[in-house]
Structures are given as C-alpha cells and as structure tokens.
C-alpha cells in the first residue's frame, strides 16, 4: 500500500480545563495520567513517522504498542 497514511486521535475525556471543572484528588490525578500518556503516544507516532527510534517505555500505553 502506497501513499499517505493518517491517524486521528481525539482526547475527549480530558479536554476540560481543571479550573472550570473543579476536579480534585483521584480524578485530577487520573486526568493528568491520561494526558501524559497521550503526549507520549504522540511522541512515539512522530518518532516512528520520522524514522527515529521511539521510546516505548515512558508509559503503559506506549509499552503495549511495543
């Protein structure tokens, strides 16, 4: 298969601002963890696309992809 390949990731679960939602405690930690995992996933995808060696060990989500 030749040509451009695209993937679209949308994070709807953590898109609200913390100060607007008033989330605290365990829920705040969970939102931070989700956002951090998506950031690392984005980095792995960028590295794979550019031919670099991605670091899969940053979080559980990217370790699963390994």
């Amino acid at each position: 298969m030749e040509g451009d390949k695209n993937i679209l990731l949308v994070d709807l679960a953590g898109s609200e601002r913390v100060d607007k939602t008033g989330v605290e405690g365990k829920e705040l930690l969970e939102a931070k963890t989700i956002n951090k995992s998506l950031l690392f996933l984005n980095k792995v995808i960028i590295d794979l696309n550019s031919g670099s060696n991605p670091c899969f060990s940053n979080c559980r989500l990217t370790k699963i992809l390994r």
Side-chain angles (χ1 to χ4, degrees):
M1 225 174 171
E2 291 186 33
D4 290 338
K5 292 162 182 65
N6 296 306
I7 185 169
L8 178 62
L9 301 174
V10 179
D11 170 25
L12 299 176
S15 61
E16 305 87 8
R17 294 200 177 270
V18 172
D19 55 346
K20 273 187 166 181
T21 61
V23 69
E24 297 176 341
K26 187 176 178 181
E27 290 82 13
L28 178 58
L29 182 60
E30 183 178 343
K32 286 181 180 181
T33 303
I34 290 169
N35 287 335
K36 202 182 250 187
S37 294
L38 291 174
L39 179 69
F40 289 134
L41 177 60
N42 183 52
K43 177 76 171 114
V44 165
I45 292 170
I46 289 170
D47 287 348
L48 287 171
N49 191 42
S50 69
S52 299
N53 290 329
C55 180
F56 288 99
S57 62
N58 287 331
C59 69
R60 282 189 230 166
L61 178 62
T62 55
K63 283 180 186 177
I64 292 169
L65 295 175
R66 182 180 245 172

Short mmCIF file of all heavy atoms in Angstrom, two decimals:
data_model
loop_
_atom_site.label_atom_id
_atom_site.label_comp_id
_atom_site.label_asym_id
_atom_site.label_seq_id
_atom_site.Cartn_x
_atom_site.Cartn_y
_atom_site.Cartn_z
N MET A 1 0.82 -1.17 0.00
CA MET A 1 0.00 0.00 0.00
C MET A 1 0.88 1.25 0.00
O MET A 1 1.72 1.40 0.85
CB MET A 1 -0.85 -0.02 1.26
CG MET A 1 -2.25 0.32 1.06
SD MET A 1 -2.99 0.02 2.69
CE MET A 1 -4.52 0.66 2.44
N GLU A 2 0.67 2.12 -0.94
CA GLU A 2 1.47 3.32 -1.01
C GLU A 2 0.61 4.55 -0.74
O GLU A 2 -0.60 4.49 -0.78
CB GLU A 2 2.11 3.44 -2.40
CG GLU A 2 3.17 2.38 -2.63
CD GLU A 2 3.89 2.59 -3.95
OE1 GLU A 2 4.06 3.75 -4.36
OE2 GLU A 2 4.26 1.60 -4.55
N GLY A 3 1.27 5.66 -0.46
CA GLY A 3 0.55 6.91 -0.22
C GLY A 3 0.60 7.32 1.23
O GLY A 3 1.21 6.67 2.06
N ASP A 4 -0.04 8.41 1.50
CA ASP A 4 -0.07 8.94 2.86
C ASP A 4 -1.02 8.14 3.73
O ASP A 4 -2.07 7.68 3.27
CB ASP A 4 -0.52 10.40 2.87
CG ASP A 4 0.52 11.32 2.28
OD1 ASP A 4 1.70 10.93 2.25
OD2 ASP A 4 0.16 12.42 1.85
N LYS A 5 -0.62 7.97 4.95
CA LYS A 5 -1.46 7.29 5.93
C LYS A 5 -1.69 8.25 7.09
O LYS A 5 -0.76 8.91 7.54
CB LYS A 5 -0.81 6.01 6.42
CG LYS A 5 -0.74 4.97 5.30
CD LYS A 5 0.25 3.91 5.62
CE LYS A 5 0.37 2.91 4.52
NZ LYS A 5 0.91 3.43 3.28
N ASN A 6 -2.90 8.36 7.53
CA ASN A 6 -3.22 9.29 8.60
C ASN A 6 -3.93 8.58 9.73
O ASN A 6 -4.66 7.61 9.51
CB ASN A 6 -4.15 10.40 8.08
CG ASN A 6 -3.50 11.25 7.03
OD1 ASN A 6 -2.42 11.77 7.26
ND2 ASN A 6 -4.14 11.39 5.89
N ILE A 7 -3.70 9.06 10.91
CA ILE A 7 -4.42 8.59 12.09
C ILE A 7 -4.84 9.83 12.87
O ILE A 7 -4.08 10.78 13.01
CB ILE A 7 -3.56 7.64 12.96
CG1 ILE A 7 -4.38 7.09 14.10
CG2 ILE A 7 -2.32 8.32 13.45
CD1 ILE A 7 -3.69 5.95 14.84
N LEU A 8 -6.06 9.81 13.33
CA LEU A 8 -6.60 10.95 14.08
C LEU A 8 -6.96 10.47 15.48
O LEU A 8 -7.75 9.55 15.64
CB LEU A 8 -7.84 11.50 13.37
CG LEU A 8 -8.55 12.66 14.04
CD1 LEU A 8 -7.62 13.87 14.14
CD2 LEU A 8 -9.80 13.02 13.27
N LEU A 9 -6.32 11.06 16.48
CA LEU A 9 -6.60 10.74 17.87
C LEU A 9 -7.29 11.92 18.51
O LEU A 9 -6.84 13.06 18.38
CB LEU A 9 -5.30 10.44 18.63
CG LEU A 9 -4.46 9.31 18.10
CD1 LEU A 9 -3.14 9.23 18.85
CD2 LEU A 9 -5.20 7.99 18.23
N VAL A 10 -8.38 11.64 19.20
CA VAL A 10 -9.13 12.71 19.86
C VAL A 10 -9.29 12.34 21.32
O VAL A 10 -9.78 11.27 21.66
CB VAL A 10 -10.51 12.89 19.21
CG1 VAL A 10 -11.29 13.98 19.90
CG2 VAL A 10 -10.36 13.19 17.72
N ASP A 11 -8.86 13.24 22.18
CA ASP A 11 -9.00 13.04 23.63
C ASP A 11 -10.18 13.87 24.12
O ASP A 11 -10.06 15.06 24.31
CB ASP A 11 -7.71 13.47 24.35
CG ASP A 11 -7.88 13.51 25.85
OD1 ASP A 11 -8.76 12.81 26.37
OD2 ASP A 11 -7.14 14.26 26.50
N LEU A 12 -11.31 13.23 24.28
CA LEU A 12 -12.49 13.93 24.77
C LEU A 12 -12.62 13.85 26.28
O LEU A 12 -13.30 14.65 26.90
CB LEU A 12 -13.75 13.36 24.12
CG LEU A 12 -13.81 13.48 22.59
CD1 LEU A 12 -15.06 12.80 22.05
CD2 LEU A 12 -13.76 14.94 22.17
N ALA A 13 -11.95 12.88 26.88
CA ALA A 13 -12.09 12.66 28.32
C ALA A 13 -11.40 13.72 29.15
O ALA A 13 -11.86 14.05 30.24
CB ALA A 13 -11.54 11.29 28.69
N GLY A 14 -10.32 14.29 28.68
CA GLY A 14 -9.56 15.23 29.49
C GLY A 14 -9.46 16.60 28.88
O GLY A 14 -8.52 17.33 29.13
N SER A 15 -10.43 16.96 28.05
CA SER A 15 -10.31 18.21 27.31
C SER A 15 -10.74 19.44 28.11
O SER A 15 -10.48 20.55 27.69
CB SER A 15 -11.12 18.12 26.02
OG SER A 15 -12.48 17.92 26.31
N GLU A 16 -11.40 19.26 29.22
CA GLU A 16 -11.85 20.40 30.01
C GLU A 16 -10.69 20.99 30.80
O GLU A 16 -9.75 20.32 31.14
CB GLU A 16 -12.96 19.99 31.00
CG GLU A 16 -14.13 19.31 30.37
CD GLU A 16 -13.94 17.81 30.23
OE1 GLU A 16 -12.95 17.27 30.75
OE2 GLU A 16 -14.76 17.18 29.56
N ARG A 17 -10.80 22.23 31.14
CA ARG A 17 -9.81 22.88 31.99
C ARG A 17 -10.10 22.55 33.44
O ARG A 17 -11.25 22.53 33.87
CB ARG A 17 -9.83 24.38 31.78
CG ARG A 17 -9.40 24.78 30.40
CD ARG A 17 -8.98 26.25 30.43
NE ARG A 17 -8.49 26.66 29.14
CZ ARG A 17 -7.23 26.57 28.75
NH1 ARG A 17 -6.35 26.07 29.55
NH2 ARG A 17 -6.86 26.99 27.57
N VAL A 18 -9.05 22.29 34.19
CA VAL A 18 -9.18 21.89 35.59
C VAL A 18 -9.92 22.95 36.40
O VAL A 18 -10.79 22.64 37.20
CB VAL A 18 -7.79 21.61 36.20
CG1 VAL A 18 -7.89 21.39 37.69
CG2 VAL A 18 -7.16 20.41 35.52
N ASP A 19 -9.58 24.21 36.18
CA ASP A 19 -10.22 25.26 36.97
C ASP A 19 -11.72 25.40 36.67
O ASP A 19 -12.49 25.80 37.53
CB ASP A 19 -9.52 26.61 36.78
CG ASP A 19 -9.42 27.04 35.33
OD1 ASP A 19 -9.65 26.22 34.43
OD2 ASP A 19 -9.09 28.22 35.10
N LYS A 20 -12.13 25.02 35.46
CA LYS A 20 -13.56 25.08 35.12
C LYS A 20 -14.34 23.93 35.73
O LYS A 20 -15.48 24.10 36.14
CB LYS A 20 -13.74 25.03 33.60
CG LYS A 20 -13.68 26.35 32.91
CD LYS A 20 -14.06 26.15 31.46
CE LYS A 20 -14.35 27.48 30.80
NZ LYS A 20 -14.74 27.29 29.40
N THR A 21 -13.74 22.76 35.77
CA THR A 21 -14.45 21.58 36.25
C THR A 21 -14.40 21.43 37.76
O THR A 21 -15.26 20.79 38.35
CB THR A 21 -13.87 20.29 35.63
OG1 THR A 21 -12.50 20.17 36.02
CG2 THR A 21 -13.98 20.31 34.12
N GLY A 22 -13.34 21.98 38.38
CA GLY A 22 -13.20 21.84 39.82
C GLY A 22 -12.79 20.45 40.25
O GLY A 22 -12.93 20.07 41.41
N VAL A 23 -12.27 19.66 39.32
CA VAL A 23 -11.86 18.29 39.62
C VAL A 23 -10.69 18.31 40.61
O VAL A 23 -9.82 19.18 40.55
CB VAL A 23 -11.51 17.52 38.33
CG1 VAL A 23 -10.25 18.03 37.70
CG2 VAL A 23 -11.40 16.04 38.59
N GLU A 24 -10.70 17.37 41.53
CA GLU A 24 -9.67 17.29 42.56
C GLU A 24 -9.33 15.84 42.84
O GLU A 24 -10.03 14.93 42.44
CB GLU A 24 -10.16 17.94 43.86
CG GLU A 24 -10.46 19.42 43.77
CD GLU A 24 -11.04 19.96 45.06
OE1 GLU A 24 -11.54 19.17 45.88
OE2 GLU A 24 -10.99 21.19 45.24
N GLY A 25 -8.27 15.66 43.59
CA GLY A 25 -7.91 14.35 44.12
C GLY A 25 -7.64 13.30 43.06
O GLY A 25 -6.89 13.52 42.11
N LYS A 26 -8.27 12.15 43.24
CA LYS A 26 -8.05 10.99 42.39
C LYS A 26 -8.41 11.28 40.93
O LYS A 26 -7.71 10.86 40.01
CB LYS A 26 -8.87 9.81 42.91
CG LYS A 26 -8.60 8.51 42.22
CD LYS A 26 -9.38 7.39 42.87
CE LYS A 26 -9.15 6.09 42.14
NZ LYS A 26 -9.93 4.99 42.73
N GLU A 27 -9.50 12.00 40.71
CA GLU A 27 -9.91 12.32 39.34
C GLU A 27 -8.91 13.23 38.64
O GLU A 27 -8.65 13.09 37.45
CB GLU A 27 -11.31 12.97 39.34
CG GLU A 27 -12.43 12.01 39.68
CD GLU A 27 -12.62 11.82 41.19
OE1 GLU A 27 -12.03 12.60 41.98
OE2 GLU A 27 -13.31 10.87 41.58
N LEU A 28 -8.34 14.17 39.39
CA LEU A 28 -7.32 15.06 38.83
C LEU A 28 -6.07 14.27 38.44
O LEU A 28 -5.52 14.45 37.36
CB LEU A 28 -6.96 16.17 39.82
CG LEU A 28 -5.87 17.15 39.37
CD1 LEU A 28 -6.26 17.85 38.08
CD2 LEU A 28 -5.59 18.16 40.47
N LEU A 29 -5.66 13.37 39.30
CA LEU A 29 -4.50 12.52 39.01
C LEU A 29 -4.76 11.66 37.77
O LEU A 29 -3.89 11.51 36.92
CB LEU A 29 -4.18 11.63 40.22
CG LEU A 29 -2.97 10.72 40.09
CD1 LEU A 29 -1.70 11.53 39.85
CD2 LEU A 29 -2.82 9.88 41.34
N GLU A 30 -5.97 11.11 37.66
CA GLU A 30 -6.33 10.29 36.51
C GLU A 30 -6.29 11.12 35.22
O GLU A 30 -5.75 10.67 34.21
CB GLU A 30 -7.72 9.71 36.70
CG GLU A 30 -8.15 8.79 35.58
CD GLU A 30 -9.52 8.18 35.83
OE1 GLU A 30 -10.01 8.20 36.97
OE2 GLU A 30 -10.11 7.69 34.86
N ALA A 31 -6.83 12.33 35.25
CA ALA A 31 -6.81 13.19 34.07
C ALA A 31 -5.38 13.53 33.66
O ALA A 31 -5.04 13.52 32.47
CB ALA A 31 -7.60 14.47 34.34
N LYS A 32 -4.52 13.81 34.63
CA LYS A 32 -3.12 14.10 34.34
C LYS A 32 -2.42 12.90 33.71
O LYS A 32 -1.63 13.04 32.78
CB LYS A 32 -2.38 14.51 35.61
CG LYS A 32 -2.71 15.89 36.11
CD LYS A 32 -1.92 16.20 37.37
CE LYS A 32 -2.21 17.57 37.92
NZ LYS A 32 -1.40 17.86 39.12
N THR A 33 -2.71 11.71 34.24
CA THR A 33 -2.10 10.48 33.71
C THR A 33 -2.54 10.22 32.27
O THR A 33 -1.72 9.86 31.42
CB THR A 33 -2.46 9.28 34.61
OG1 THR A 33 -2.02 9.56 35.94
CG2 THR A 33 -1.80 8.00 34.12
N ILE A 34 -3.83 10.42 32.00
CA ILE A 34 -4.34 10.24 30.64
C ILE A 34 -3.66 11.21 29.68
O ILE A 34 -3.18 10.83 28.61
CB ILE A 34 -5.87 10.42 30.60
CG1 ILE A 34 -6.56 9.26 31.30
CG2 ILE A 34 -6.37 10.55 29.15
CD1 ILE A 34 -8.04 9.48 31.55
N ASN A 35 -3.58 12.46 30.07
CA ASN A 35 -2.96 13.46 29.20
C ASN A 35 -1.48 13.18 28.96
O ASN A 35 -0.97 13.34 27.86
CB ASN A 35 -3.16 14.87 29.78
CG ASN A 35 -4.58 15.34 29.63
OD1 ASN A 35 -5.30 14.89 28.75
ND2 ASN A 35 -4.99 16.24 30.49
N LYS A 36 -0.79 12.73 29.99
CA LYS A 36 0.63 12.40 29.86
C LYS A 36 0.80 11.20 28.92
O LYS A 36 1.69 11.20 28.06
CB LYS A 36 1.20 12.07 31.24
CG LYS A 36 2.69 12.22 31.34
CD LYS A 36 3.17 11.82 32.72
CE LYS A 36 3.62 13.01 33.50
NZ LYS A 36 4.24 12.64 34.78
N SER A 37 -0.05 10.19 29.06
CA SER A 37 0.03 9.01 28.18
C SER A 37 -0.20 9.40 26.73
O SER A 37 0.48 8.90 25.83
CB SER A 37 -0.99 7.96 28.61
OG SER A 37 -0.68 7.44 29.87
N LEU A 38 -1.17 10.27 26.48
CA LEU A 38 -1.44 10.70 25.11
C LEU A 38 -0.29 11.52 24.54
O LEU A 38 0.02 11.43 23.36
CB LEU A 38 -2.75 11.48 25.05
CG LEU A 38 -4.00 10.64 25.29
CD1 LEU A 38 -5.23 11.53 25.37
CD2 LEU A 38 -4.16 9.57 24.22
N LEU A 39 0.36 12.29 25.38
CA LEU A 39 1.53 13.05 24.96
C LEU A 39 2.65 12.09 24.53
O LEU A 39 3.28 12.27 23.47
CB LEU A 39 2.02 13.95 26.09
CG LEU A 39 3.26 14.79 25.81
CD1 LEU A 39 2.96 15.86 24.78
CD2 LEU A 39 3.76 15.41 27.09
N PHE A 40 2.90 11.06 25.33
CA PHE A 40 3.93 10.07 24.99
C PHE A 40 3.56 9.29 23.73
O PHE A 40 4.41 8.97 22.91
CB PHE A 40 4.19 9.12 26.15
CG PHE A 40 4.90 9.76 27.31
CD1 PHE A 40 4.46 9.56 28.61
CD2 PHE A 40 6.01 10.57 27.12
CE1 PHE A 40 5.11 10.15 29.69
CE2 PHE A 40 6.67 11.16 28.19
CZ PHE A 40 6.22 10.96 29.47
N LEU A 41 2.27 8.96 23.57
CA LEU A 41 1.81 8.27 22.37
C LEU A 41 2.07 9.13 21.14
O LEU A 41 2.55 8.65 20.12
CB LEU A 41 0.33 7.93 22.49
CG LEU A 41 -0.30 7.27 21.26
CD1 LEU A 41 0.39 5.96 20.92
CD2 LEU A 41 -1.79 7.07 21.48
N ASN A 42 1.76 10.41 21.24
CA ASN A 42 2.02 11.33 20.14
C ASN A 42 3.50 11.35 19.78
O ASN A 42 3.87 11.32 18.61
CB ASN A 42 1.53 12.74 20.52
CG ASN A 42 1.69 13.73 19.39
OD1 ASN A 42 1.24 13.48 18.29
ND2 ASN A 42 2.33 14.84 19.68
N LYS A 43 4.37 11.38 20.79
CA LYS A 43 5.82 11.39 20.56
C LYS A 43 6.28 10.11 19.86
O LYS A 43 7.09 10.17 18.93
CB LYS A 43 6.54 11.55 21.91
CG LYS A 43 8.04 11.49 21.83
CD LYS A 43 8.64 12.78 21.29
CE LYS A 43 10.14 12.76 21.44
NZ LYS A 43 10.85 12.73 20.19
N VAL A 44 5.74 8.96 20.27
CA VAL A 44 6.09 7.69 19.62
C VAL A 44 5.66 7.70 18.16
O VAL A 44 6.42 7.30 17.27
CB VAL A 44 5.44 6.49 20.37
CG1 VAL A 44 5.49 5.23 19.54
CG2 VAL A 44 6.14 6.27 21.71
N ILE A 45 4.47 8.18 17.88
CA ILE A 45 3.98 8.23 16.50
C ILE A 45 4.84 9.15 15.65
O ILE A 45 5.20 8.82 14.52
CB ILE A 45 2.49 8.65 16.46
CG1 ILE A 45 1.63 7.54 17.07
CG2 ILE A 45 2.04 8.97 15.04
CD1 ILE A 45 0.19 7.93 17.32
N ILE A 46 5.20 10.30 16.18
CA ILE A 46 6.07 11.25 15.45
C ILE A 46 7.42 10.60 15.18
O ILE A 46 7.95 10.68 14.06
CB ILE A 46 6.22 12.56 16.24
CG1 ILE A 46 4.91 13.35 16.20
CG2 ILE A 46 7.38 13.40 15.68
CD1 ILE A 46 4.88 14.54 17.12
N ASP A 47 8.00 9.94 16.19
CA ASP A 47 9.30 9.28 16.01
C ASP A 47 9.23 8.17 14.96
O ASP A 47 10.13 8.04 14.12
CB ASP A 47 9.81 8.71 17.34
CG ASP A 47 10.29 9.79 18.29
OD1 ASP A 47 10.45 10.95 17.87
OD2 ASP A 47 10.50 9.47 19.49
N LEU A 48 8.18 7.36 15.00
CA LEU A 48 8.02 6.29 14.01
C LEU A 48 7.90 6.86 12.60
O LEU A 48 8.47 6.34 11.66
CB LEU A 48 6.79 5.43 14.34
CG LEU A 48 6.92 4.49 15.53
CD1 LEU A 48 5.57 3.89 15.86
CD2 LEU A 48 7.95 3.41 15.26
N ASN A 49 7.14 7.94 12.48
CA ASN A 49 6.93 8.56 11.18
C ASN A 49 8.20 9.17 10.63
O ASN A 49 8.43 9.16 9.42
CB ASN A 49 5.84 9.63 11.29
CG ASN A 49 5.38 10.11 9.95
OD1 ASN A 49 5.20 9.34 9.02
ND2 ASN A 49 5.18 11.41 9.83
N SER A 50 9.06 9.69 11.50
CA SER A 50 10.29 10.35 11.04
C SER A 50 11.47 9.38 10.89
O SER A 50 12.54 9.78 10.46
CB SER A 50 10.68 11.47 12.00
OG SER A 50 11.09 10.93 13.24
N GLY A 51 11.26 8.13 11.29
CA GLY A 51 12.33 7.15 11.17
C GLY A 51 13.24 7.08 12.39
O GLY A 51 14.22 6.34 12.39
N SER A 52 12.92 7.84 13.43
CA SER A 52 13.69 7.80 14.67
C SER A 52 13.32 6.58 15.49
O SER A 52 12.29 5.96 15.25
CB SER A 52 13.42 9.05 15.51
OG SER A 52 13.77 10.21 14.81
N ASN A 53 14.15 6.26 16.46
CA ASN A 53 13.84 5.17 17.38
C ASN A 53 12.96 5.70 18.52
O ASN A 53 13.44 6.47 19.34
CB ASN A 53 15.11 4.56 17.97
CG ASN A 53 15.90 3.80 16.94
OD1 ASN A 53 15.34 3.24 16.01
ND2 ASN A 53 17.21 3.81 17.07
N PRO A 54 11.70 5.29 18.57
CA PRO A 54 10.81 5.79 19.62
C PRO A 54 11.09 5.16 20.97
O PRO A 54 11.58 4.03 21.05
CB PRO A 54 9.42 5.40 19.13
CG PRO A 54 9.65 4.22 18.25
CD PRO A 54 11.01 4.41 17.64
N CYS A 55 10.80 5.88 22.02
CA CYS A 55 10.92 5.37 23.38
C CYS A 55 9.55 4.87 23.82
O CYS A 55 8.65 5.66 24.09
CB CYS A 55 11.42 6.47 24.31
SG CYS A 55 11.59 5.90 26.01
N PHE A 56 9.39 3.55 23.86
CA PHE A 56 8.11 2.95 24.23
C PHE A 56 7.94 2.83 25.74
O PHE A 56 6.86 2.52 26.22
CB PHE A 56 7.97 1.56 23.61
CG PHE A 56 7.76 1.57 22.12
CD1 PHE A 56 8.81 1.36 21.26
CD2 PHE A 56 6.50 1.79 21.60
CE1 PHE A 56 8.61 1.36 19.88
CE2 PHE A 56 6.30 1.80 20.22
CZ PHE A 56 7.36 1.59 19.37
N SER A 57 9.00 3.04 26.50
CA SER A 57 8.96 2.73 27.93
C SER A 57 8.47 3.87 28.82
O SER A 57 8.50 3.75 30.03
CB SER A 57 10.35 2.29 28.40
OG SER A 57 11.27 3.35 28.22
N ASN A 58 7.99 4.96 28.24
CA ASN A 58 7.56 6.10 29.04
C ASN A 58 6.26 5.87 29.81
O ASN A 58 6.06 6.47 30.85
CB ASN A 58 7.40 7.33 28.16
CG ASN A 58 8.73 7.90 27.75
OD1 ASN A 58 9.70 7.76 28.47
ND2 ASN A 58 8.79 8.52 26.61
N CYS A 59 5.37 5.05 29.29
CA CYS A 59 4.10 4.82 29.97
C CYS A 59 3.51 3.47 29.53
O CYS A 59 3.96 2.87 28.57
CB CYS A 59 3.12 5.96 29.70
SG CYS A 59 2.53 6.03 28.01
N ARG A 60 2.50 3.02 30.23
CA ARG A 60 1.87 1.73 29.92
C ARG A 60 1.28 1.70 28.52
O ARG A 60 1.36 0.70 27.83
CB ARG A 60 0.78 1.42 30.94
CG ARG A 60 1.31 0.93 32.24
CD ARG A 60 0.18 0.45 33.10
NE ARG A 60 0.33 1.08 34.42
CZ ARG A 60 -0.60 1.10 35.33
NH1 ARG A 60 -1.75 0.57 35.11
NH2 ARG A 60 -0.36 1.69 36.48
N LEU A 61 0.66 2.80 28.12
CA LEU A 61 0.03 2.86 26.80
C LEU A 61 1.04 2.60 25.68
O LEU A 61 0.77 1.81 24.78
CB LEU A 61 -0.64 4.23 26.59
CG LEU A 61 -1.31 4.48 25.26
CD1 LEU A 61 -2.47 3.50 25.04
CD2 LEU A 61 -1.82 5.91 25.18
N THR A 62 2.20 3.22 25.75
CA THR A 62 3.19 3.02 24.70
C THR A 62 3.92 1.67 24.86
O THR A 62 4.36 1.10 23.86
CB THR A 62 4.20 4.18 24.66
OG1 THR A 62 4.80 4.36 25.94
CG2 THR A 62 3.54 5.47 24.22
N LYS A 63 4.01 1.16 26.07
CA LYS A 63 4.61 -0.17 26.26
C LYS A 63 3.77 -1.24 25.57
O LYS A 63 4.30 -2.19 25.02
CB LYS A 63 4.73 -0.50 27.75
CG LYS A 63 5.87 0.21 28.44
CD LYS A 63 5.93 -0.16 29.90
CE LYS A 63 6.98 0.65 30.64
NZ LYS A 63 7.01 0.37 32.06
N ILE A 64 2.47 -1.07 25.59
CA ILE A 64 1.56 -2.02 24.93
C ILE A 64 1.83 -2.05 23.43
O ILE A 64 1.76 -3.10 22.80
CB ILE A 64 0.09 -1.64 25.20
CG1 ILE A 64 -0.24 -1.86 26.67
CG2 ILE A 64 -0.86 -2.43 24.31
CD1 ILE A 64 -1.57 -1.29 27.11
N LEU A 65 2.17 -0.91 22.85
CA LEU A 65 2.43 -0.83 21.41
C LEU A 65 3.69 -1.54 20.98
O LEU A 65 3.83 -1.94 19.84
CB LEU A 65 2.51 0.64 20.98
CG LEU A 65 1.24 1.45 21.11
CD1 LEU A 65 1.52 2.90 20.75
CD2 LEU A 65 0.15 0.88 20.23
N ARG A 66 4.62 -1.66 21.92
CA ARG A 66 5.91 -2.27 21.60
C ARG A 66 5.70 -3.67 21.07
O ARG A 66 6.15 -4.17 20.16
CB ARG A 66 6.77 -2.31 22.84
CG ARG A 66 8.14 -2.89 22.57
CD ARG A 66 8.94 -2.90 23.80
NE ARG A 66 10.04 -1.98 23.57
CZ ARG A 66 10.88 -1.62 24.51
NH1 ARG A 66 10.72 -2.04 25.72
NH2 ARG A 66 11.86 -0.84 24.23
#
